[in-house]
């Protein structure tokens, strides 16, 4: 308790010291100019917000809520008003879908963006301007400033794992609320694994034997995220991590595991059979329903940690196909397996994503585990192999999302001896500072990193039984990753980040978010 109050005292001290409107900007905008002149003074009787486009209604109500929360002002909304002092507008002449500007001067405030999402990001930035400039905000004024901002990468994701520990819809919405504040625009849901199948498939109701999301619940969740300009990418993990489906349909496994008892949550290391037509019939149905439900342009099919030696190598059907195709290694059966699965995705007008697997799981590796088609976006995740994966994806023409374990695995402890206290398989420590050091382009030239779509922080759920643990493991490291995805390297600074961190942590705690307080930064 003493440490907690000490931390709060330090946070308050930092907040009082922070008397300019850049003190809580996170991620840091890529262009900001502090202007001279008188501040913009707000008053309920004289201030109003004008939206010049119906698509900006949510951004406008979000700004209205921020002004109420931080300035205690009730500011009315207008669809269009020449007398309004705050304007939200779409500017189609701006380049880049997430490009926005914020202008504040004595006359008022203008937030413009290329799209509704861009305008919303401008509103989130204004909220941080208010959060950082404590004295001005309490005086109901905003110092003059000009911000012209756009993200470094278009794909900025966090991944939740309700397959291991189920998260109710309300908790996922709570998580989305925090993501949106920091300009994340993708939430990946890891919906299937050995521990559970969480996605309702109407043609195959046996799949959902435990807690799961109905399709109606997912529609509601998708709409909630979309309002906040977050795209939900669904993931079903195949051909490994499939005990949950094999428990329901044991005939989809390999010949030597047909009669093996499958205990969901206990049994591991089983795979779908690569030479079984029923596998493809079932997964065509699964992918068809998933594609119809999720508007995301992506479907993630996993493809990681396939224990081929314990499954396909021992399966008579798989070995017969290997012989028929003239393969030397059983791992080559990934080619016919994913040829069919990827076609199911493409036939629904979607783009496939897979975890990137190389021919070795430890350095040195020399090539892909199997030839990935060029239209597959790969996620680089294995610690130590990211530079190799970055080079291979550039050489083979695959887009890549950067989620390297050593920087972006948020299930890893944040300090030695910190959580998780159970289901810890010897996870390495990823400190806040280590996370902040992440450069998704690994220092390569613009041309050499042009195929990098962006970043993803992963929260594998083995040791995360509820949303409080999930947010604790996310923040503050998720703030560091947010800056890695948005802000160009020349505008990033660890010392600056540390100072901007404090008011944001105070704000998150005020919102009821469980965070890990980084005591080590304030000794």
């Amino acid at each position: 308790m003493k440490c907690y109050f000490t931390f709060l005292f330090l946070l308050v001290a930092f907040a009082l010291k922070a008397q300019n409107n850049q003190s809580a900007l996170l991620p840091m905008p890529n262009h900001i100019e502090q202007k001279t002149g008188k501040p913009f003074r707000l008053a309920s009787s004289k201030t109003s917000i004008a939206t010049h486009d119906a698509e900006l209604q949510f951004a406008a109500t979000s700004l209205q809520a921020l002004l109420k929360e931080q300035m205690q002002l009730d500011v009315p909304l207008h669809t269009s008003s020449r007398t309004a002092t705050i304007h939200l507008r779409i500017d189609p002449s701006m380049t880049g879908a997430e490009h926005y500007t914020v202008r504040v001067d004595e006359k008022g405030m203008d937030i413009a963006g290329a799209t509704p999402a861009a305008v919303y990001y401008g509103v989130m930035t204004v909220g941080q301007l208010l959060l950082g400039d404590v004295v001005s905000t309490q005086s109901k004024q905003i110092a003059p400033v000009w911000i012209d901002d756009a993200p470094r990468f278009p794909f900025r994701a966090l991944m939740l794992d309700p397959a291991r520990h189920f998260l109710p819809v309300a908790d996922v919405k709570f998580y989305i609320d925090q993501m949106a504040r920091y300009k994340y625009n993708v939430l990946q849901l890891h919906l299937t694994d050995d521990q559970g199948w969480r996605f309702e498939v109407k043609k195959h109701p046996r799949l959902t034997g435990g807690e799961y999301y109905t399709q109606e619940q997912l529609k509601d969740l998708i709409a909630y995220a979309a309002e906040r300009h977050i795209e939900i990418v669904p993931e079903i993990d195949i051909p490994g991590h499939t005990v949950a489906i094999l428990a329901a349909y044991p005939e989809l496994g390999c010949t030597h595991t047909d009669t093996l008892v499958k205990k969901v949550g206990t049994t591991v290391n089983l795979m779908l059979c690569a030479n079984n037509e029923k596998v493809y019939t079932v997964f065509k149905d699964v992918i068809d329903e998933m594609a119809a439900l999720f508007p995301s342009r992506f479907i993630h099919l996993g493809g990681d940690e396939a224990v081929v030696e314990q499954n396909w190598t021992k399966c008579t059907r798989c070995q017969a196909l290997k012989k028929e195709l003239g393969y030397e290694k059983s791992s080559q059966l990934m080619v016919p397996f994913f040829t069919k699965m990827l076609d199911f995705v493409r036939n629904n007008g979607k783009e496939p994503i897979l975890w990137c697997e190389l021919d070795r799981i430890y350095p040195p590796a020399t090539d892909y585990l199997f030839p990935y088609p060029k239209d597959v976006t790969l996620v680089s995740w294995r610690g130590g192999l990211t530079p190799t994966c970055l080079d291979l994806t550039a050489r083979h023409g695959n887009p890549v999302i950067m989620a390297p374990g050593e920087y972006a695995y948020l299930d890893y402890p944040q300090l030695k001896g910190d959580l998780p206290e159970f289901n810890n398989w010897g996870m390495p420590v990823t400190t806040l500072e280590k996370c902040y050091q992440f450069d998704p382009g690994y220092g390569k030239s613009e041309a050499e990193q042009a195929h990098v779509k962006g970043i993803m922080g992963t929260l594998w759920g083995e040791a995360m039984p509820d949303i409080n643990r999930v947010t604790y493991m996310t923040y503050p490291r998720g703030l560091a990753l947010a800056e890695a995805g948005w802000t160009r390297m020349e505008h990033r600074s660890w010392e600056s980040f540390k100072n901007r961190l404090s008011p944001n942590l105070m704000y998150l705690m005020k919102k009821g978010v469980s965070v890990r307080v980084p005591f080590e930064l304030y000794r």
Side-chain angles (χ1 to χ4, degrees):
M1 183 63 70
K2 181 180 178 182
C3 289
Y4 176 77
F5 283 114
T6 301
F7 178 74
L8 286 181
F9 174 80
L10 288 166
L11 285 182
V12 170
F14 273 106
L16 292 175
K17 180 181 177 182
Q19 294 303 315
N20 69 78
N21 55 9
Q22 298 187 33
S23 302
L25 292 177
L26 209 162
M28 176 59 78
N30 284 294
H31 182 82
I32 182 168
E33 298 177 27
Q34 203 73 53
K35 296 294 186 178
T36 58
K38 295 181 179 179
F40 170 38
R41 300 184 183 277
L42 293 83
S44 294
S45 59
K46 298 180 180 179
T47 307
S48 62
I49 301 170
T51 56
H52 298 264
D53 193 296
E55 292 181 288
L56 299 181
Q57 185 66 24
F58 185 75
T61 56
S62 297
L63 179 58
Q64 189 181 40
L66 285 169
L67 294 175
K68 175 69 174 178
E69 176 185 71
Q70 299 193 42
M71 287 186 162
Q72 297 78 52
L73 288 174
D74 292 303
V75 179
L77 303 182
H78 299 289
T79 55
S80 180
S81 174
R82 293 184 178 180
T83 61
T85 49
I86 300 174
H87 292 265
L88 306 184
R89 58 191 178 86
I90 294 174
D91 182 352
S93 70
M94 297 175 72
T95 57
E98 296 175 300
H99 182 187
Y100 73 90
T101 59
V102 174
R103 175 191 56 76
V104 179
D105 58 25
E106 182 183 6
K107 296 179 181 179
M109 177 163 58
D110 179 83
I111 304 173
T115 61
V119 175
Y120 181 74
Y121 296 145
V123 169
M124 294 298 100
T125 296
V126 168
Q128 292 174 357
L129 292 175
L130 302 179
L131 185 64
D133 200 351
V134 179
V135 172
S136 293
T137 299
Q138 290 306 304
S139 301
K140 297 177 175 51
Q141 60 188 29
I142 306 175
V145 70
W146 167 252
I147 298 173
D148 189 345
D149 193 21
R152 180 182 177 188
F153 295 106
F155 191 103
R156 303 174 306 280
L158 291 172
M159 187 215 78
L160 291 180
D161 177 14
R164 267 55 177 263
H165 280 107
F166 185 73
L167 295 169
V169 169
D171 288 346
V172 179
K173 287 181 176 180
F174 180 73
Y175 195 79
I176 288 169
D177 289 339
Q178 318 320 319
M179 291 176 62
R181 298 183 204 283
Y182 300 103
K183 302 183 176 70
Y184 283 101
N185 62 356
V186 176
L187 172 64
Q188 180 168 306
L189 288 181
H190 184 78
L191 292 169
T192 71
D193 214 293
D194 293 332
Q195 293 79 10
W197 184 284
R198 310 301 187 183
F199 163 62
E200 179 189 24
V201 181
K202 293 186 182 296
K203 282 192 175 181
H204 301 283
R206 286 162 52 193
L207 288 173
T208 46
E211 294 179 295
Y212 66 95
Y213 304 113
T214 68
Q215 293 197 12
E216 288 304 310
Q217 287 176 318
L218 287 169
K219 287 178 183 177
D220 175 57
L221 191 58
I222 290 163
Y224 188 88
E227 196 171 38
R228 290 150 183 79
H229 306 285
I230 290 174
E231 173 185 356
I232 297 185
V233 173
E235 180 193 356
I236 48 174
D237 205 348
I238 54 175
H241 292 277
T242 50
V243 169
I245 189 171
L246 292 175
Y249 294 97
E251 67 272 23
L252 301 186
C254 289
T255 52
H256 66 295
T257 66
D258 279 349
T259 59
L260 181 70
V261 175
K262 286 91 174 174
K263 295 183 179 180
V264 176
T266 302
T267 308
V268 294
N269 294 335
L270 298 184
M271 291 171 60
L272 299 170
C273 182
N275 189 20
N276 182 341
E277 280 308 309
K278 188 170 182 181
V279 168
Y280 303 105
T281 300
V282 170
F283 273 90
K284 182 183 185 303
D285 294 338
V286 169
I287 292 170
D288 285 350
E289 290 194 29
M290 182 167 274
L293 179 63
F294 287 87
S296 171
R297 62 197 185 278
F298 296 114
I299 290 180
H300 198 310
L301 295 182
D304 63 309
E305 296 182 325
V307 190
V308 173
E309 293 302 314
Q310 295 180 28
N311 291 274
W312 290 351
T313 300
K314 298 179 180 180
C315 174
T316 56
R317 285 193 301 263
C318 290
Q319 289 304 299
L321 181 60
K322 173 186 171 184
K323 183 177 180 181
E324 176 187 337
L325 297 175
Y327 289 155
E328 296 180 359
K329 299 183 294 184
S330 295
S331 60
Q332 291 173 283
L333 292 172
M334 286 284 197
V335 175
F337 179 86
F338 274 112
T339 294
K340 294 180 179 180
M341 295 295 187
L342 296 177
D343 276 344
F344 298 153
V345 173
R346 297 183 188 108
N347 292 342
N348 279 287
K350 304 291 187 177
E351 300 175 34
I353 301 178
L354 292 172
W355 301 104
C356 182
E357 286 284 26
L358 305 184
D359 54 8
R360 282 175 53 87
I361 64 172
Y362 301 106
T366 59
D367 208 342
Y368 291 153
L369 177 65
F370 68 97
Y372 294 109
K374 288 186 178 182
D375 68 334
V376 175
T377 296
L378 297 174
V379 184
S380 180
W381 61 282
R382 283 197 185 273
L385 287 176
T386 304
T388 303
C389 189
L390 189 57
D391 291 340
L392 287 171
T393 50
R395 186 191 315 163
H396 291 290
N398 293 101
V400 65
I401 297 163
M402 304 296 278
E406 60 267 42
Y407 295 110
Y409 265 40
L410 302 183
D411 54 313
Y412 291 173
Q414 301 177 62
L415 276 182
K416 186 176 180 180
D418 194 33
L419 301 176
E421 80 283 7
F422 67 97
N423 284 342
N424 187 337
W425 41 262
M427 303 170 186
V429 170
T430 300
T431 65
L432 175 61
E433 184 173 6
K434 176 70 172 180
C435 197
Y436 190 79
Q437 292 168 352
F438 180 34
D439 171 11
Y442 274 62
K444 293 182 177 293
S445 69
E446 291 291 326
E448 291 173 315
Q449 59 177 281
H451 66 301
V452 177
K453 278 182 176 287
I455 60 102
M456 180 161 63
T458 58
L459 289 117
W460 300 105
E462 290 96 332
M464 298 187 203
D466 56 41
I467 191 62
N468 290 324
R469 179 64 59 84
V470 170
T471 60
Y472 178 94
M473 299 303 289
T474 304
Y475 298 108
R477 292 180 299 182
L479 305 181
L481 282 185
E483 190 145 301
W486 185 279
T487 308
R488 302 187 69 83
M489 291 300 293
E490 60 266 29
H491 304 306
R492 291 175 56 191
S493 159
W494 169 241
E495 293 303 317
S496 168
F497 173 77
K498 286 194 295 183
N499 291 332
R500 290 179 283 118
L501 185 63
S502 301
N504 283 283
L505 289 180
M506 286 186 67
Y507 186 79
L508 287 170
M509 287 190 286
K510 180 181 176 182
K511 288 293 184 181
V513 181
S514 172
V515 303
R516 180 190 175 274
V517 290
F519 296 102
E520 66 276 8
L521 302 185
Y522 305 107
R523 290 173 179 169

